[in-house]
Amino acid sequence: MMQMKRTIAFFVLLMTIGTGSSLSAQESDEEIDLQDLYQQIDDAIDHSSEYVATRLMQIADTRQMLLSESSMEKRFALAEQLYALYKPYKNDSALYAADLCISLADSLNRKDMVGLYLSQKAHQCSNAGMYVEALNLLKKVDRQALGPNELTKYYAAWMHVWGEIGSCSQQHDERWNYYGLQDSYRDSVLAVAEEGSEEYLHLKMDVLNARKQYQDALRVSDKWLKKVTDGTHENAFAAFYRSVAYDKLNNGRQVRYWLGKSALDDIKCAVFDQASLLMLAERLCEDGDYERAYRYVRFCEACNTAFSPQLRNYQVRYVANVMEAIHQNDQARYSRLLTVACVGALLLLVVIVWLLFRLRRRA
């Protein structure tokens, strides 16, 4: 789920969102059992090796079918499946699969598919901090050969790359220049994306949140969640963006719930591009649940190292540092309270001794 994924948290003024089948209208803080959700996440982490084994089996089967297939069209379809399996799991392998798709598409004289997987590869490169490579790949795309779906992915890749470059820039003016380019390509995506597609829905929510139209963003989220299947990576992505809308409304309980739902689905799908769980860990640290928070951070560190060892762990280190600062502040606060309590107890003891002394003198 992507690096665009940084620190977030959320809300619920649900009675104004709609009636009937609206998901938002069904939600209430009282119905949320966060401890049960956290326990499900703990259990999923305990069984994560089983989920990984399932994905590896799917990858092995797909690779074997690709090796034994002679039809170029079927080989290309299998290469696309292989890319989809690697994309959220292991970045270096996804780059290999994208190259395979590009090569097979070129052999089939499918310039639209060559452009699609050049765009997909650029997206994966930017996940690993390879921004120059990503930009060079996008410059190779023959935009005139792209259909609406391929053009959507092309613009989305440009948007992602500029956003990643902006988030890493240390120069304030340059950062906002990159974010300006990101916004321009966001508009391009919305102009060509099919309404109701994943690209359209999450960018539509971005725009509505930026305009502070949070209830409208939740209505879009309602539609999105009805289109995806619970327990899938697609559902995890939709849940993550729902938490963003709740964060804007400062409803921390709903933020934790939807981040938890997103993290749970991704763990069960053996998705190593972790974001939701890392953000949830930061929230748990704010709640004082340090043991669970650090466990989640360690799990994210292992996943992100496997997904993209070149870059991703800086995110984990950042959150770990924030958590450590929160923990130390809490410890300092506890020490101050303990000091005050001890001084108070000592003063009380002095008063009692003084009173006893006065009583004895009177006797």
Side-chain angles (χ1 to χ4, degrees), residues 176-296:
W176 289 106
N177 180 47
Y178 297 139
Y179 284 154
L181 290 168
Q182 180 189 33
D183 289 342
S184 295
Y185 279 105
R186 179 183 289 111
D187 293 341
S188 297
V189 175
L190 287 170
V192 299
E194 179 184 356
E195 187 170 347
S197 66
E198 182 180 277
E199 289 85 0
Y200 180 88
L201 291 169
H202 94 255
L203 294 181
K204 186 68 174 177
M205 288 188 69
D206 280 345
V207 170
L208 291 170
N209 284 326
R211 294 174 179 171
K212 300 184 179 180
Q213 296 173 275
Y214 307 131
Q215 302 293 352
D216 290 336
L218 280 177
R219 290 189 183 97
V220 172
S221 176
D222 289 345
K223 296 176 182 178
W224 191 356
L225 285 168
K226 288 176 182 177
K227 293 172 67 71
V228 293
T229 303
D230 194 26
T232 63
H233 180 48
E234 291 74 22
N235 191 76
F237 195 40
F240 175 85
Y241 268 89
R242 191 170 187 83
S243 76
V244 174
Y246 278 121
D247 186 41
K248 301 298 184 181
L249 288 165
N250 297 314
N251 188 318
R253 192 167 179 81
Q254 292 286 355
V255 172
R256 287 158 176 76
Y257 176 75
W258 288 103
L259 283 176
K261 286 282 289 181
S262 176
L264 181 62
D265 284 348
D266 271 348
I267 294 167
K268 289 186 174 182
C269 292
V271 170
F272 279 5
D273 188 8
Q274 288 288 342
S276 298
L277 188 64
L278 190 60
M279 295 175 185
L280 179 60
E282 189 174 354
R283 299 284 177 169
L284 289 172
C285 195
E286 293 172 1
D287 298 339
D289 193 348
Y290 301 115
E291 183 177 351
R292 177 174 273 134
Y294 281 114
R295 186 187 186 208
Y296 290 176

